[in-house]
Amino acid sequence: KGPQPGPRAGAAGPEGGVVVAVRLRPPSGRERSGSFREVVSPVSENIICFDPSSDASDDDGGSRGAGQRPSMLARKPRDVRYSFDRVFGPEATQHQVFEGTTKQVLDGVMDGFSSCVFCYGSTGAGKTHTMLGSPDQPGVLLLTMQELFRRIDQRSD
């Protein structure tokens, strides 16, 4: 079944804690045009599948030409599942990631609790895009600061 989120998952404060969210980036142009196969896929909003089996890759876990027999040495997909507090698929927008992660942290911040948000992953995984975004798709950092100052203005009214 895997770990389950706490009662106030994502909230800073006495009931809060560490929340782990995963964002899967869309395939790059090179990956779409090549013979790359998907190695991680979202199963639900809390589960990803690493090394999923694929009907397109047949039973041996790899591609082969018509009429070729499966190799005895070909690696079979593992189809291993991992559970997280939140999973965002490749189609997720910056705003959806913000709404499902850092926006929740602001509740505790506004009550005086410290918090930290960071991205971790390999080169090219999309950390900078998620945190900083672009002019037309602002990242979670800018969206969080905008929400923080909106809440401060709302309290001072």
Side-chain angles (χ1 to χ4, degrees):
K1 190 171 179 176
Q4 300 298 310
R8 284 187 59 197
E15 303 91 16
V18 175
V19 173
V20 180
V22 174
R23 183 180 197 182
L24 305 175
R25 69 165 173 76
S28 68
R30 183 172 161 239
E31 291 165 339
R32 281 190 300 272
S33 66
S35 61
F36 296 92
R37 74 178 196 88
E38 186 178 60
V39 294
V40 179
S41 64
V43 174
S44 71
E45 71 176 34
N46 301 96
I47 299 172
I48 63 170
C49 181
F50 174 72
D51 203 13
S53 58
S54 167
D55 295 337
S57 65
D58 288 325
D59 295 322
D60 67 351
S63 302
R64 53 176 196 262
Q68 290 181 343
R69 295 174 28 163
S71 167
M72 294 298 286
L73 300 176
R75 187 185 60 75
K76 295 215 184 278
R78 292 187 216 147
D79 209 34
V80 178
R81 294 167 188 249
Y82 295 97
S83 177
F84 298 93
D85 293 301
R86 189 66 198 267
V87 170
F88 297 94
E91 71 290 337
T93 65
Q94 297 283 68
H95 196 73
Q96 288 170 327
V97 174
F98 162 70
E99 288 283 334
T101 57
T102 58
K103 186 175 183 181
Q104 301 167 25
V105 171
L106 291 175
D107 295 334
V109 170
M110 293 299 292
D111 290 336
F113 294 99
S114 297
S115 67
C116 175
V117 175
F118 68 94
C119 283
Y120 177 81
S122 61
T123 301
K127 301 175 300 293
T128 301
H129 175 70
T130 296
M131 292 300 277
L132 301 180
S134 62
D136 58 322
Q137 295 181 31
V140 296
L141 183 60
L142 178 61
L143 294 171
T144 302
M145 296 310 293
Q146 288 174 335
E147 177 66 13
L148 176 64
F149 285 109
R150 186 193 68 74
R151 290 183 187 196
I152 291 170
D153 286 344
Q154 192 176 32
R155 273 195 181 178
S156 63
D157 289 343

